Amino acid sequence: MDKQLALEWYRKMALIRRFEEKCAEGYAYAKIGGFLHLYIGQEAVAVGAISALNDDDDIVTHYRDHGHAIARGLDTNSLMAELYGKATGCSKGRGGSMHFADASKHFWGGYALVGAHLPIAVGLAMASQYRGEDRLAMAIFGDGSTNNGGFHESLNMAAVFKLPVIFLIENNLYSMGVALQRDSAISDLYKRAASYGILGEAFDGMDVEATHEATKRAVAHVRAGNGPVLLEAKTYRFRGHSMADPEMYRSKEEVEFWKQKDPIVTWKARCVEAGIATAAEFDEVEAAANREAEESVKFADESPEPELSTLCDNIYANPIGQTDCQLV
Amino acid sequence: MRTITVRQAIQEALREEMRRDENVFLMGEDIAYYGSAYGVTKGFVDEFGEKRVKDTPISETAIIGAATGAALAGLRPIPEIMSINFALQALDQVINHSAKMSYMFGGQMKVPMVLRTPSGWSQLAATHSQTLELLFAYIPGLKVVMPSTPYDHKGLLKSAIRDDDPVIFIEHALIYGAKGEVPEEEYLVPIGKSVVRRPGKDVTVVSYSRMAMLAMEAANDLAAEGIDVEVIDLRTLRPLDMEPVIESVKKTNRVVVAEEGWKTYGIGAEVQSRIYEEAFDYIDAPVRRVAGIEVPAPYNKHLEMAAYPHKANIVAAIREVLK
Ligand SMILES: Cc1ncc(C[n+]2csc(CCOP(=O)(O)OP(=O)(O)O)c2C)c(N)n1
């Protein structure tokens, strides 16, 4: 294991965690509104998987998108500002938590309708194939999405056209409050790949290295022109589904059991034990992540609100004459 | 009389009808053990069991399609779609199937289903904050109900459950906590009847759901100035009962139509043109429409507040037609 890489993965995971702890605070102070779905516990999936992609590979994801955006390298200032609804936010304060995006980073957005963004990944992959490019697309989504028509239709079409797309399920065992066994006919979701004649693989999503390796294999398979792959990260979210979740559906013991597998803590322990880097080196990296998260809050707080006069901007890329949108 | 919330009124309606008729059952995402996103069906699974309170996968098409099938077979399903925005995924089932069956098969079949779904907003951004009742109200074969008061929620939901047609019952997430008088005794409110919520002689405000509540507040404010506002609550958007509206227009000669949805092609547009068709001679000022700004809902709270209509917009429109 390369030391620089080990520390970089750690930094990214720690940054996601600290950033989201700041989100929870911001929500408590009503600086952040709307729905807020935290990613805490799942950091290894975003960091392990996205680090196996090229920078110009396309990503679409769902509303639990903070981790994916940070792993892809979106500017944390612009992300926190988005949560604060500010003009400096990555989506200019229009999207909020569920709709992070940065087209320049091939991060084509977080989408809030379960399963509805999978066909968009298919289209991105189609464009790459059409132009003979080497880019692949990755769609990231939860286990709950796999029961939706969008999942079936996307996998089937991607398989038929042999498109370069990786479907990455973050199986955190719950869709809101419904346990996987209660809403899915099979609990090993990667097995659904068989229905489309494509490759499917599951791995330990609490382990950043295992995630990275599995994704690398998938990437090689897809880039070789073999069509799509279905990946299943076995993971867990430590917090409720959203800030509004009373969390009545799972036991404290279960949550504690999974917290023992904390991807950040275990990664550091493993690397230190293997002599890849020292605890002090990890702590230093973590302190930097802390500072970055804190700075993003300051930046967001000090950023301006969007001007009211901009309310109707960007409804169209190409506005024709006077639009219907007028402030009264 | 006792006072309860809209949420409690809906719960009472569901509970009473489930006790009354074994065929009535609930299905939807997270409605059993989570108690539903807005807490409406909390505790129902304890009383009625999993057979009658079913947690489903996140499969809107299957939820509505299955409810339609179960209704064909004589059950009375009440599918809950967590948000009206997610109902878009099931629109094909609703529009091409549930709505058409009675007619398309020559009256052999009926679909006694009530699709309950909340509409609403509060920094939920473009895809979660849409006012989409129009999409359903446009479709012949559906009955579309969107009440305001707790009294109406209870009485209309009970009627909907007993109705033999597919009823789209839309709840506004921002008024679940609103309180109002509801009798202990059993009662029904008929589907397809608008109501005069407050009589007045100077100007008519036509509205429904949350905006009807705001219209009442606006009317009370203006009463202090000696402006006497008549408020009409449509309650049912299809079939649309224009009779009390036309009666009112003949009396006041001035009208404001208030809704949260976008103005172009909207509910307000329909009401306005019906007034011109049916009461043109009685109109003394152009019918004014209060509606949402035609923009996908922004997340930022200031922009969002600017995009949605408020009491002040109703008041301003009333002053305008009185000029
Ligand atoms: C089409 C649709 N139906 C329902 C919802 C409401 N909803 C939001 S998240 C969620 C649970 C999704 O669970 P899962 O796919 O496992 O992802 P996770 O939240 O666990 O990351 C539900 C039901 C939605 N956003 N879109």
Side-chain angles (χ1 to χ4, degrees):
Chain A
M1 182 73 219
D2 179 75
K3 176 176 173 178
Q4 251 15 71
L5 197 57
L7 287 170
E8 175 58 11
W9 286 352
Y10 186 78
R11 188 188 71 79
K12 280 247 161 93
M13 290 195 289
L15 180 59
I16 296 170
R17 179 75 56 94
R18 293 290 100 79
F19 179 89
E20 290 216 301
E21 286 164 355
K22 296 287 171 206
C23 295
E25 275 174 39
Y27 196 83
Y29 290 124
K31 298 267 187 187
I32 298 171
F35 289 148
L36 181 65
H37 310 87
L38 298 182
Y39 192 66
I40 289 176
Q42 302 183 206
E43 294 89 348
V45 185
V47 173
I50 292 173
S51 63
L53 304 180
N54 293 338
D55 285 345
D56 67 346
D57 285 332
D58 297 308
I59 297 176
V60 290
T61 186
H62 59 161
Y63 48 85
R64 200 180 297 285
D65 56 358
H66 304 175
H68 312 126
I70 292 174
R72 176 32 76 98
L74 272 69
D75 171 34
T76 43
N77 282 349
S78 82
L79 299 181
M80 191 60 82
E82 186 58 35
L83 288 161
Y84 277 51
K86 297 297 182 72
T88 51
C90 62
S91 303
K92 299 207 175 96
R94 270 45 171 198
S97 169
M98 303 194 287
H99 306 296
F100 284 178
D102 186 341
S104 75
K105 291 207 149 50
H106 291 259
F107 191 81
W108 300 108
Y111 296 86
L113 281 291
V114 167
H117 61 294
L118 275 61
I120 297 171
V122 171
L124 288 162
M126 206 179 265
S128 167
Q129 188 191 58
Y130 188 97
R131 297 205 183 107
E133 291 168 347
D134 193 32
R135 272 202 339 264
L136 60 79
M138 173 178 270
I140 307 174
F141 49 98
D143 43 286
S145 302
T146 63
N147 298 316
N148 185 290
F151 172 83
H152 164 74
E153 296 180 30
S154 299
L155 267 71
N156 185 60
M157 190 185 280
V160 167
F161 293 156
K162 271 197 181 310
L163 293 173
V165 44
I166 295 176
F167 296 98
L168 172 58
I169 308 169
E170 298 191 301
N171 180 1
N172 60 17
L173 301 180
Y174 290 90
S175 39
M176 272 183 74
V178 181
L180 184 64
Q181 310 88 281
R182 292 186 62 241
D183 71 8
S184 294
I186 52 172
S187 300
D188 277 323
L189 298 172
Y190 75 93
K191 289 183 180 165
R192 293 189 179 206
S195 325
Y196 312 99
I198 64 172
L199 195 69
E201 185 181 342
F203 53 86
D204 179 1
M206 304 305 270
D207 178 343
V208 66
E209 192 176 19
T211 303
H212 183 81
E213 292 304 322
T215 311
K216 240 169 63 178
R217 283 192 292 276
V219 165
H221 182 86
V222 167
R223 285 208 212 281
N226 297 309
V229 173
L230 179 64
L231 292 181
E232 178 188 2
K234 307 268 189 191
T235 183
Y236 200 78
R237 60 168 160 71
F238 295 169
R239 302 264 190 140
H241 167 71
S242 72
M243 300 302 278
D245 181 357
E247 254 195 285
M248 309 292 280
Y249 48 82
R250 60 185 193 183
S251 68
K252 293 227 165 20
E253 294 73 45
E254 183 187 302
V255 179
E256 274 316 307
F257 169 81
W258 280 91
K259 279 189 175 168
Q260 297 309 307
K261 299 173 185 281
D262 187 316
I264 303 179
V265 175
T266 54
W267 181 241
K268 176 176 163 184
R270 211 162 97 201
C271 290
V272 170
E273 193 175 330
I276 294 166
T278 65
E281 286 169 317
F282 276 99
D283 293 344
E284 203 176 303
V285 160
E286 184 165 0
N290 272 339
R291 280 195 300 278
E292 183 172 344
E294 265 159 29
E295 272 158 28
S296 74
V297 172
K298 189 161 181 290
F299 175 83
D301 228 0
E302 290 170 356
S303 285
E305 296 282 346
E307 294 288 338
L308 224 47
S309 61
T310 65
L311 176 66
C312 298
D313 289 1
N314 299 315
I315 296 176
Y316 298 102
N318 179 20
I320 298 168
Q322 191 161 17
T323 72
D324 299 319
C325 186
Q326 282 151 32
L327 265 176
V328 284
Chain B
M1 205 188 292
R2 75 191 171 125
T3 292
I4 63 172
T5 63
V6 164
R7 182 183 281 103
Q8 289 168 316
I10 297 167
Q11 289 166 335
E12 285 189 2
L14 292 174
R15 210 170 264 127
E16 287 175 20
E17 294 305 302
M18 287 179 80
R19 286 178 190 157
R20 200 182 62 88
D21 183 352
E22 272 289 314
N23 289 317
V24 178
F25 73 99
L26 313 179
M27 64 193 285
E29 294 157 17
D30 272 299
I31 64 162
Y33 296 100
Y34 192 97
S36 98
Y38 291 98
V40 173
T41 55
K42 208 174 216 142
F44 274 65
V45 71
D46 300 330
E47 178 176 351
F48 298 103
E50 285 190 11
K51 181 179 136 190
R52 298 184 70 195
V53 184
K54 288 185 193 302
D55 270 338
T56 63
I58 307 171
S59 311
E60 282 77 10
T61 298
I63 294 169
I64 299 307
T68 301
L72 282 179
L75 296 183
R76 307 190 85 83
I78 309 181
E80 173 178 318
I81 297 290
M82 197 180 283
S83 153
I84 196 164
N85 304 284
F86 314 156
L88 294 182
Q89 299 205 350
L91 270 193
D92 177 60
Q93 288 299 327
V94 180
I95 294 178
N96 279 328
H97 302 94
S98 328
K100 308 287 200 299
M101 284 178 166
S102 173
Y103 185 84
M104 193 166 72
F105 297 122
Q108 304 173 65
M109 298 180 197
K110 44 190 190 187
V111 182
M113 153 182 103
V114 183
L115 193 178
R116 280 187 48 242
T117 189
S119 179
W121 47 279
S122 64
Q123 290 200 266
L124 305 179
T127 63
H128 268 52
S129 305
Q130 308 183 83
T131 306
L132 299 175
E133 57 271 14
L134 174 67
L135 297 187
F136 297 99
Y138 181 60
I139 307 299
L142 297 180
K143 293 173 178 168
V144 182
V145 175
M146 196 164 179
S148 62
T149 63
Y151 181 93
D152 281 356
H153 274 85
K154 181 169 179 185
L156 279 162
L157 183 50
K158 284 170 69 85
S159 294
I161 295 168
R162 296 182 197 189
D163 197 286
D164 281 340
D165 288 311
V167 179
I168 314 299
F169 191 90
I170 305 170
E171 300 158 17
H172 198 301
L174 294 182
I175 62 173
Y176 278 128
K179 289 189 167 162
E181 292 189 339
V182 174
E184 306 267 5
E185 337 48 278
E186 157 110 21
Y187 68 94
L188 297 171
V189 172
I191 294 173
K193 288 274 172 234
S194 304
V195 67
V196 177
R197 205 147 296 292
R198 180 190 192 283
K201 57 183 188 338
D202 296 332
V203 55
T204 303
V205 178
V206 184
S207 193
Y208 60 95
S209 183
R210 176 171 171 274
M211 290 301 275
M213 291 191 159
L214 295 186
M216 287 296 287
E217 289 177 22
N220 291 337
D221 289 358
L222 289 170
E225 290 177 29
I227 300 173
D228 193 12
V229 181
E230 178 147 309
V231 177
I232 295 184
D233 187 344
L234 295 173
R235 305 194 291 196
T236 301
L237 302 175
R238 178 179 280 267
L240 181 62
D241 174 22
M242 285 296 290
E243 209 179 294
V245 178
I246 300 301
E247 285 310 306
S248 180
V249 172
K250 287 179 177 170
K251 182 169 68 172
T252 64
N253 315 117
R254 289 163 200 277
V255 197
V256 169
V257 189
E259 66 182 321
E260 282 188 353
W262 295 305
K263 187 187 271 184
T264 304
Y265 307 116
I267 305 281
E270 176 62 24
V271 172
Q272 185 188 40
S273 66
R274 292 279 289 270
I275 291 168
Y276 287 131
E277 278 175 359
E278 294 168 34
F280 186 74
D281 292 343
Y282 296 90
I283 299 292
D284 285 349
V287 175
R288 286 270 305 180
R289 286 182 280 161
V290 174
I293 307 276
E294 309 217 7
V295 62
Y299 163 74
N300 174 278
K301 62 173 175 254
H302 307 292
L303 295 181
E304 185 186 52
M305 287 304 269
Y308 278 98
H310 308 281
K311 182 175 79 174
N313 303 91
I314 300 176
V315 169
I318 291 172
R319 293 194 198 285
E320 181 84 22
V321 295
L322 283 171
K323 254 188 209 151

